[in-house]
Amino acid sequence: MARLELNNIQKVYPNGFVAVHGLDIDIKDGEFISLVGPSGCAKSTTLRMIAGLEDISGGELKIGDLVANDLPSKDRGIAMVFQSYALFPHMSVEANVGFGLKIKKVPLEIRKEKIKWALDLVDLNGLGDRKPSELSGGQRQRVALARAIVLEPQVLLLDEPLSNLDAKLRIKMRVELKRIHKKLGSTIVYVTHDQSEAMTLSDRIAIMNAGELMQIGTPNEIYNSPKNKFVAGFIGSPSMNFISGNIVEDSGKISFQCKQGKINIPERLSEKAKGMLNKQVTLGVRPEDLSISIDEADNCLAATVVVRETLGSDDFLAMELEGVKDLITVRIQPDENYPLDKKIFVKMDLNKIHLFDE
Ligand code: ADP
């Protein structure tokens, strides 16, 4: 178990491409942290630099108290699980799990004990004699985890470990991973492009875009107080709605004005809004913070229902704001009914709206 510090970490590839621009992340001992962001934002590059599979071009990497920039991979006390699992197909589950210990010349008796402990932890005892081909996708994934855990690494690095599994199994393995982390208490860095995976698994999430850290925080902080439009749009499903408009002041009252109506700016946002006066801004609001009003009222925008999506537990309305092509999403209860293609109104929970610079 160890603390992991990335201080101003940079990566410049040999072709001159700057993939990581000075990343600062301080990961506590025992913390489960996710690096999340769209494809190409340098999640894997960052993970590979921590693992020692990729040179660090600048900054300082600390594992525990040790500066690890130039430490060989094998001396970093790190184990990594890859997307592909990379199991040896001709070896049994036990041999796969024990492989790293054998390389380290750990005596057979101790090896056996540790393999049993690791297989117990991932709930695979009794399957030690099987070959990987005789296991389900989820079981193979757990063998790969056991093979990393058995080395008792200070830090466990996981690179999209669930992406080869079908949707249902992914959700099951999410719970398993969380359970294993609780038992093991190790520091975990988890790379994923899937925001829901990051939200459900992590103590904290680091959101990256184009090699830069956009925000780091607990899932709740990130969801409720996104620092910018990128984070707001990336986290949450369905995504946050964005509406373009201006901030205006009228007899001392600050409001957001767009083609479809006017929204009062709550006290909480008034300082921020004052700095945006007469500027083009984006108002952000999540589907669950919108509701429908048949009649016009304060803080409502005129819109029509284009499509209704039924999920069973919640339903979603895709709505067209008057004069705007982009649709917005409103979450409603399954027993709510509204007419299609007729002018109605979308109402906002003012406590939950966000303002972003354009
Ligand atoms: P992610 O894991 O977030 O999808 P990567 O870390 O794989 O992103 O890649 C980050 C960026 O670095 C991408 O733009 C990618 O094209 C670039 N990149 C990755 N490997 C190399 C390399 N060996 N040489 C040059 N550019 C690279």
Side-chain angles (χ1 to χ4, degrees), residues 13-15 17 19 37-46 54 159-160 191:
Y13 276 112
N15 65 357
F17 180 71
S39 183
C41 73
K43 306 178 291 292
S44 294
T45 301
T46 304
E54 200 69 72
D159 192 357
E160 304 251 6
V191 159

Side-chain angles (χ1 to χ4, degrees), residues 47-61:
L47 201 71
R48 290 169 60 81
M49 284 194 284
I50 299 172
L53 302 173
E54 200 69 72
D55 288 339
I56 296 172
S57 314
E60 183 188 71
L61 171 74

Side-chain angles (χ1 to χ4, degrees), residues 77-95:
I78 267 173
M80 187 154 166
V81 176
F82 296 91
Q83 192 173 349
S84 60
Y85 315 154
L87 299 177
F88 300 114
H90 59 286
M91 286 188 194
S92 68
V93 166
E94 269 179 17

